[in-house]
Amino acid sequence: MKNTMRYIFNPLIVTIALLFLSSCSRNPVTGKKELNFMSESQEIAMGEQSDPDVVAQFGLFEDETLQNFIDKEGQKMVKISHRPDLDFEFKILNSPVVNAFALPGGYVYFTRGILAHFSNEAEFAGVLGHEIGHVTARHGAEQYTNQILSQVGLMVGLVVSPTVRQFANEISQGVQLMMLSNSRSNESQSDKLGVEYSTKIGYDANQMANFFRTIGRIGARAGANEIPDFLSTHPNPADRFSKVHELAEKWQQKLQLPEYKINRDSYLEMIDGIIYGEDPREGYTDNNVFYHPELRFSFPYPSGWQLVNTPQQVQMAPKDQNAMMVFSLAPAKSLREAADGFVQQFKLTVSETNSKTVNGYPSYQMVADQVNEQDPSQSVRLLTYFYQDKSNNVIYQMLGVAPRQEFNSLSNYFMFTMDNFKTLRDPARINVQPDHIRIVSVPASMTLAQALRRYNMPADRFDELAILNSMELSDKLNANEKIKVISKGKSGRP
């Protein structure tokens, strides 16, 4: 009996093979061919599609001086990068968190929180180069390719997220941000590019390493359970600080420029007067009450619940994440239009409705279910209030959502918040002002701690201010040296 070999023609295998062969492209940074399922045009399209959602989620921080500086240095860096022909956009987000991130296609974002913590132009330039590096090295496209590869030839069942969180994702008006969780190899590569790019445009990249230490101090002060956003999206290997210093020395020796800029005073002058921390005019909490001075309303929320305020909505949830309340504007001109649109949008089955006045606001309430037909145990029940604010000619909506089987035990929490929505009239609550950074020059040689006392900074904020200044409290200051302090009141910025 003869041995025979049979060749099986499988169209799927051939298709996948051809797909792999046609998807190899040369990485702009390494020059090596690599498998990549996202073209440059797709990268650009992804960034263009996501950018409006990022801006809507956080809002832009309007500051002409800082924006012009970032644009100028950013475009200068793009020209010497590995993708000089890619159109980059640089934006400042109105967020107090300390973070910077980039989207595929050339969209780079800095929060006002991270700009407040830079102490010189060189620190900014290092992080700018790092974020541009993520784009030039196509790290976003690489992540997309890895996701595709994990799915080829593999059929898996859907993993259902917890019910409430699933619905919360549906109702969220903001983007689920693509602040990519990059691998350590990608982060190391972006560190290298940050050093290279910032050095090539004349900055001292050693300052980039110093800023990583500032980020680490922010994390240590917040506690192990509250990692700064920059670290949560930018993993920080233990040797990162020393490695960046080594890279900086090598690039400086290689380029041999006459000098490498730090530009501390000029940077501090640019951030003099910017908002620092949360801006209470856009909403703030005190003793489990949320106040919005500009829109003139307030409401309480349950003790122990966490609250997140964004320009688009306010989200509240208990620590177990098994329920949620969301407050936002309703895109409608009347209460019934808002309710009907909400029911239609989320395919709800209404079981109960009511109309009443809540603290002077005409309102419409309803209880409704969102039924999961594939798995009824994953269905949720909602209590939703729609309020008509005639003074602003807007409709607000407040909803509470919980697993249907647990709704009754949570409905009192929802009603406590919704029935106490009211107009804010207290001038003390309305006329609040955010903190601003002030740049002062110390009149004589002294320690940072002595300087902070001289400018009447609260003692319980000394550690925070030391981090903000990238210093230790015992550090010696020279006469006329500039430092950051914090003050209330209007910024006086253009």
Side-chain angles (χ1 to χ4, degrees), residues 279-284 291 293 427-434 488-489:
D279 187 348
R281 297 170 300 184
E282 297 173 352
Y284 68 98
Y291 300 93
R429 294 293 186 185
I430 294 171
N431 299 321
V432 292
Q433 292 294 327
K488 292 281 186 184

Side-chain angles (χ1 to χ4, degrees), residues 45-111:
M46 181 181 289
E48 288 178 346
Q49 183 179 1
S50 300
D51 173 68
D53 290 332
V54 173
V55 173
Q57 180 80 1
F58 293 103
L60 292 177
F61 182 66
E62 305 289 350
D63 188 295
E64 186 176 358
T65 300
L66 278 169
Q67 187 63 58
N68 288 342
F69 168 72
I70 291 174
D71 287 340
K72 178 184 175 183
E73 298 305 306
Q75 297 303 335
K76 189 187 302 182
M77 192 173 285
V78 169
K79 289 180 181 178
I80 56 87
S81 76
H82 293 84
R83 299 177 76 177
D85 296 327
L86 188 63
D87 291 331
F88 275 76
E89 291 189 22
F90 303 93
K91 299 184 179 183
I92 305 173
L93 300 178
N94 188 22
S95 170
V97 301
V98 179
N99 206 1
F101 61 97
L103 297 181
Y107 291 83
V108 177
Y109 307 89
F110 289 86
T111 63

Side-chain angles (χ1 to χ4, degrees), residues 28-29 71-86 88 90 125-126 128-133 136-137 190-203 205 251 254-255 257 261:
V29 171
D71 287 340
K72 178 184 175 183
E73 298 305 306
Q75 297 303 335
K76 189 187 302 182
M77 192 173 285
V78 169
K79 289 180 181 178
I80 56 87
S81 76
H82 293 84
R83 299 177 76 177
D85 296 327
L86 188 63
F88 275 76
F90 303 93
L128 173 68
H130 178 100
E131 298 305 334
I132 289 177
T136 59
S190 285
D191 283 350
K192 292 177 182 177
L193 293 171
V195 171
E196 177 184 344
Y197 294 164
S198 60
T199 306
K200 283 183 175 179
I201 66 169
Y203 283 103
W251 270 104
K254 180 178 181 178
L255 296 178
L257 299 182
K261 299 178 293 185

Side-chain angles (χ1 to χ4, degrees), residues 4 24 57 60 97 165 169 229 350 380 396 407 429 431 434 439 466:
T4 60
C24 288
Q57 180 80 1
L60 292 177
V97 301
R165 201 166 303 157
N169 288 339
D229 283 25
V350 178
V380 297
Y396 297 114
F407 178 84
R429 294 293 186 185
N431 299 321
I439 305 302

